[in-house]
């Protein structure tokens, strides 16, 4: 029986691993929300409704982490005692930083949609590569320190992808 203190995987009745079926996560979220909806407890008084609200918030927090591959990977690392510490630790491998600088330069120099499309495609491929490494690092190898490095890389990639999207918007207006 799950409690409010259960980890997200236990709460959702899922194995504690990176590889998950998104449709199963979604279905389980709907079931849990239906079970814990505060309106269902209205006849039992305000204390029962307050507890149901706490469950509902907890279920939503877990759902947000489990459905997002990057957040799920970071959460698994934290469950195994390895924190991402993205705010404190910005050190990255030189090769990765060089790639970031090249992308920034390409973004600044992109004068038309085809150049932006090429950059977007390259960033998308890097994102997919980073995501695909989590199955191996977390589920197969149990390399949480390596997975943390991938999470941090993916955070940079996703932030840059947002910059590319913003550039698309500025070109369209």
């Amino acid at each position: 029986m799950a409690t409010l203190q259960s980890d997200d995987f236990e709460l959702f009745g899922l194995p504690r691993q990176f590889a998950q079926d998104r449709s199963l996560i979604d279905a389980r979220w709907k079931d849990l929300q239906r079970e814990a909806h505060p309106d269902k407890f209205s006849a039992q008084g305000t204390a029962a409704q307050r507890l149901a609200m706490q469950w509902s918030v907890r279920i939503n927090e877990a759902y947000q982490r489990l459905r997002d591959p990057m957040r799920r990977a970071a959460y698994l690392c934290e469950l195994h005692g390895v924190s991402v510490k993205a705010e404190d630790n910005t050190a990255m491998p030189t090769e990765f930083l060089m790639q970031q600088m090249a992308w920034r330069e390409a973004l600044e120099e992109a004068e038309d949609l085809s150049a932006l499309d090429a950059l977007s495609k390259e960033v998308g491929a890097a994102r997919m590569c980073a995501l695909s490494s989590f199955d191996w690092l977390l589920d197969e190898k149990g390399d949480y320190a390596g997975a943390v490095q991938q999470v941090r890389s993916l955070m940079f990639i996703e932030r840059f992808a947002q910059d590319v999207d913003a550039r698309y918007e500025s070109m369209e207006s």
Side-chain angles (χ1 to χ4, degrees), residues 8-74:
D8 296 353
F9 296 96
E10 185 180 355
L11 180 64
F12 272 63
L14 299 170
R16 194 189 267 194
Q17 65 186 32
F18 178 76
Q20 298 289 338
D21 179 344
R22 173 64 191 267
S23 63
L24 188 59
I25 293 171
D26 292 344
R28 189 67 184 127
W29 173 72
K30 287 177 186 173
D31 290 344
L32 289 169
Q33 280 294 24
R34 197 173 13 261
E35 290 173 23
H37 198 281
D39 289 347
K40 192 174 177 181
F41 297 89
S42 61
Q44 296 176 18
T46 57
Q49 281 186 302
R50 193 173 358 209
L51 182 59
M53 182 61 74
Q54 289 174 334
W55 271 103
S56 185
V57 168
R58 174 69 183 93
I59 291 164
N60 282 328
E61 288 171 347
Y63 177 65
Q64 295 304 317
R65 267 190 298 270
L66 292 174
R67 74 184 191 113
D68 180 302
M70 183 176 65
R71 291 181 68 188
R72 184 170 61 245

Side-chain angles (χ1 to χ4, degrees), residues 3-4 7 39 43-44 59 62 65 72 83 99 122 126 170:
T3 67
L4 284 172
D7 72 49
D39 289 347
Q44 296 176 18
I59 291 164
R65 267 190 298 270
R72 184 170 61 245
S83 178
Q99 178 65 65
E122 187 177 334
S170 71

Side-chain angles (χ1 to χ4, degrees), residues 99-110 119 160 167:
Q99 178 65 65
Q100 290 288 305
M101 289 185 347
W103 284 349
R104 289 267 167 223
E105 193 173 304
L107 183 60
E108 288 176 22
E109 294 173 357
L119 181 58
F160 183 75
R167 183 67 186 273

Side-chain angles (χ1 to χ4, degrees), residues 143-156:
D143 181 2
Y144 301 101
V148 159
Q149 186 64 39
Q150 280 300 98
V151 168
R152 292 178 54 243
S153 295
L154 189 55
M155 291 169 78
F156 275 88

Side-chain angles (χ1 to χ4, degrees), residues 67-129:
R67 74 184 191 113
D68 180 302
M70 183 176 65
R71 291 181 68 188
R72 184 170 61 245
Y75 182 65
L76 273 166
C77 291
E78 289 174 10
L79 287 175
H80 288 88
V82 184
S83 178
V84 174
K85 296 182 185 173
E87 306 81 30
D88 302 342
N89 186 355
T90 57
M92 298 297 287
T94 303
E95 183 180 313
F96 182 78
L97 293 174
M98 297 300 287
Q99 178 65 65
Q100 290 288 305
M101 289 185 347
W103 284 349
R104 289 267 167 223
E105 193 173 304
L107 183 60
E108 288 176 22
E109 294 173 357
E111 294 182 9
D112 57 25
L113 288 177
S114 66
L116 207 50
D117 288 343
L119 181 58
S120 180
K121 186 176 180 179
E122 187 177 334
V123 171
R127 181 181 187 278
M128 293 307 299
C129 182

